[in-house]
Amino acid sequence: MSSRSVLFVNLRRIKREGFESLVAARRLGYRVVLLGRALPEFAQPLVDEFHQVDTYDTDLALKTAREIAAANDLAGVVNFTEIDVQLVAAIAAELGLPGMPPEAAVLARNKLAMKQALAGIDGVLPKFARVSDLDDLCAAVADIGFPCVVKPTGASGSKGIFELHGESDLEPAMAELQRIADPSFDAVFRQFGAEFIVEEYLTGDELSVEGFVADGTVHQLLLTDKVTTVPFHLEVSHRLPSVLPAAAQDQILACSEKIVRALGFDNCAFHLEAKWDGERMRFIEVAARPAGDYIASHLVKAATGIDFFANVIRVATGEPLQLVPDRDLQAGLRFVFAESAGTFDGLDGVTELFEEPGYDHVFTEVPIGAQVALPPANFGSQRVAAVCARAHDRAGLDALLDTAGEAIKVRIG
Ligand SMILES: Nc1ncnc2c1ncn2[C@@H]1O[C@H](COP(=O)(O)OP(=O)(O)OP(=O)(O)O)[C@@H](O)[C@H]1O
Ligand SMILES: [Mg+2]
């Protein structure tokens, strides 16, 4: 191992993803210095140096980063998480490391600023407006029309996405948003507070684009097809590479490149979410970090052989990317949801499932004994496990994921 270090700012909450990010740095020969709110147990053997800091306190985090840089040979600073995009950009700028321009980092984090910055791109954005209370919401909806969606401008993880289908939906949605848009519900609301955006409801096939921008060059690897739950839009499954028609994919890739360029993204991974309405791409948002839901940590590699997480480290350290696929498979994942609230007691049906070699992993996301709740009480804990599979074509993958959805049963006590 070289004596050079990579500075991580926090880790992804999902253990498998956090673990893979640390292993990727190791694989490239770097020491890992972690600046973060906590050092989870799984990370301890893989982190060489830990600095505990409240990373929502930007000044303190920057000061600590300067001290770390003085004592270490830092090759780069990296985030795998959504909330740390701006801090990592600020640290990179301060220390002269490859990074995202701080102005672009704000656009990446705020769904309103992002859409305002893209107003020049024709036909791609939904109609949208900024709202902070019920009066604003009523006025905005009068212009945008039903159905529409209201959500926080700076959250992630589908916390507080409300579909509005009629007048009677407005008051409860705003009450619920004002309840959750508080740091005591989730610390993410320390960043942009109780600011919301209402958008025209976009229809069509939901998808994401996975890529990188490195030293001004946009690299788009592939498209992912996504299915979400009704009505809270929690992810149900991801399948990649997309099977949308080639002409649609070409148009989406062209549009997505225009968007990341217009936002000024650089030296980052990106995960762009959109819908394809049959004729054109409609834009939801783009994140300046690798995709979650095991897409970047596991699925891209399973389908193509491209090590997405290692490339996240390469972008952050200014090394050339390695993006040549060595296989052409279909990979996908399906989440397993609890059907009622209660105590998670385990999964049935997993052992039988693994008779079939197409299943790569079953990951649990909550420990046995954990309390699970359903949205809108809680947006994270209904999802208790994820099954990953691989097949040589989409029909084979669909069959595996469908079978898994029927075979695995969640025991709730
Ligand atoms: N304008 C819209 N029209 C239709 N669906 C939408 C719209 N905005 C959001 N959604 C749905 O809600 C999901 C989450 O929205 P969004 O990505 O803006 O929030 P998020 O909190 O960043 O979620 P995540 O972290 O899961 O991406 C989208 O993937 C989509 O399914
Ligand atoms: Mg999103």
Side-chain angles (χ1 to χ4, degrees):
M1 200 180 357
S2 87
S3 60
R4 303 208 80 194
S5 304
V6 172
L7 177 60
F8 277 57
V9 177
N10 289 311
L11 294 171
R12 290 191 65 82
R13 184 183 60 82
I14 301 290
K15 282 189 229 171
R16 305 282 172 166
E17 293 179 327
F19 184 86
E20 289 300 328
S21 67
L22 293 168
V23 168
R26 288 271 171 148
R27 244 188 340 265
L28 299 188
Y30 291 109
R31 289 177 74 245
V32 172
V33 181
L34 173 66
L35 175 72
R37 291 186 299 282
L39 176 63
E41 209 178 311
F42 75 82
Q44 283 171 14
L46 294 165
V47 168
D48 297 279
E49 216 178 291
F50 173 57
H51 297 260
Q52 204 260 322
V53 166
D54 173 5
T55 43
Y56 288 103
D57 182 342
T58 307
D59 292 339
L60 178 63
L62 273 171
K63 178 172 166 279
T64 312
R66 280 194 296 273
E67 290 164 5
I68 292 170
N72 288 277
D73 179 11
L74 285 189
V77 54
V78 71
N79 65 285
F80 289 79
T81 55
E82 176 66 23
I83 50 175
D84 301 301
V85 169
Q86 285 173 275
L87 177 57
V88 165
I91 293 174
E94 170 110 11
L95 302 180
L97 297 168
M100 176 100 157
E103 316 79 69
V106 186
L107 304 183
R109 279 292 296 126
N110 185 293
K111 295 180 204 288
L112 182 76
M114 177 187 294
K115 294 223 156 76
Q116 286 165 338
L118 295 174
I121 303 185
D122 257 3
V124 172
L125 297 191
K127 283 196 201 167
F128 67 93
R130 175 185 192 279
V131 294
S132 55
D133 57 25
L134 188 57
D135 286 347
D136 290 351
L137 182 61
C138 293
V141 167
D143 177 46
I144 291 172
F146 293 111
C148 54
V149 173
V150 62
K151 57 192 179 182
T153 56
S156 66
S158 298
K159 291 171 200 119
I161 313 287
F162 292 92
E163 281 183 19
L164 306 173
H165 294 276
E167 298 293 337
S168 62
D169 293 340
L170 303 188
E171 199 276 325
M174 189 45 83
E176 193 58 18
L177 277 169
Q178 283 173 334
R179 183 184 73 83
I180 69 170
D182 186 287
S184 66
F185 178 81
D186 194 304
V188 71
F189 294 107
R190 280 167 72 178
Q191 294 184 324
F192 299 102
E195 182 191 59
F196 313 111
I197 180 171
V198 52
E199 294 175 1
E200 171 190 352
Y201 185 85
L202 302 174
T203 54
D205 296 326
E206 194 154 355
L207 60 100
S208 58
V209 183
E210 323 308 337
F212 294 94
V213 190
D215 203 13
T217 304
V218 179
H219 303 271
Q220 308 197 92
L221 270 54
L222 52 78
L223 271 58
T224 304
D225 296 321
K226 158 170 161 181
V227 179
T228 60
T229 58
V230 176
F232 290 107
H233 300 284
L234 301 178
E235 281 84 356
V236 177
S237 86
H238 297 282
R239 299 164 207 233
L240 58 84
S242 170
V243 293
L244 282 172
Q249 297 204 32
D250 289 348
Q251 208 190 111
I252 292 163
L253 290 172
C255 192
S256 137
E257 172 155 359
K258 237 192 253 175
I259 289 170
V260 294
R261 283 191 186 286
L263 293 172
F265 278 21
D266 202 3
N267 298 321
C268 63
F270 71 86
H271 169 67
L272 182 145
E273 301 179 320
K275 286 194 175 183
W276 173 253
D277 73 3
E279 278 171 19
R280 59 184 175 153
M281 181 187 114
R282 308 301 309 278
F283 175 70
I284 297 175
E285 66 164 352
V286 57
R289 50 145 175 101
D293 289 352
Y294 312 98
I295 294 171
S297 59
H298 293 81
L299 297 182
V300 171
K301 180 136 196 232
T304 67
I306 297 170
D307 187 336
F308 202 103
F309 271 15
N311 283 298
V312 175
I313 306 284
R314 291 189 183 106
V315 168
T317 55
E319 291 171 64
L321 304 190
Q322 293 186 15
L323 300 176
V324 183
D326 68 11
R327 69 197 77 154
D328 178 15
L329 296 174
Q330 280 283 320
L333 136 168
R334 182 187 173 112
F335 287 108
V336 180
F337 293 94
E339 282 169 6
S340 59
T343 307
F344 176 54
D345 241 1
L347 299 172
D348 288 322
V350 173
T351 312
E352 300 83 328
L353 201 70
F354 269 97
E355 278 298 306
E356 163 61 59
Y359 296 107
D360 288 332
H361 314 279
V362 172
F363 299 135
T364 49
E365 296 205 334
V366 297
I368 303 261
Q371 287 303 309
V372 302
L374 311 190
N378 183 297
F379 291 97
S381 76
Q382 185 187 15
R383 203 169 102 170
V384 296
V387 187
C388 297
R390 234 179 335 170
H392 79 281
D393 63 12
R394 179 58 68 91
L397 178 66
D398 290 348
L400 287 169
L401 295 181
D402 288 351
T403 303
E406 283 156 26
I408 300 186
K409 297 285 176 235
V410 181
R411 281 200 306 273
I412 297 292

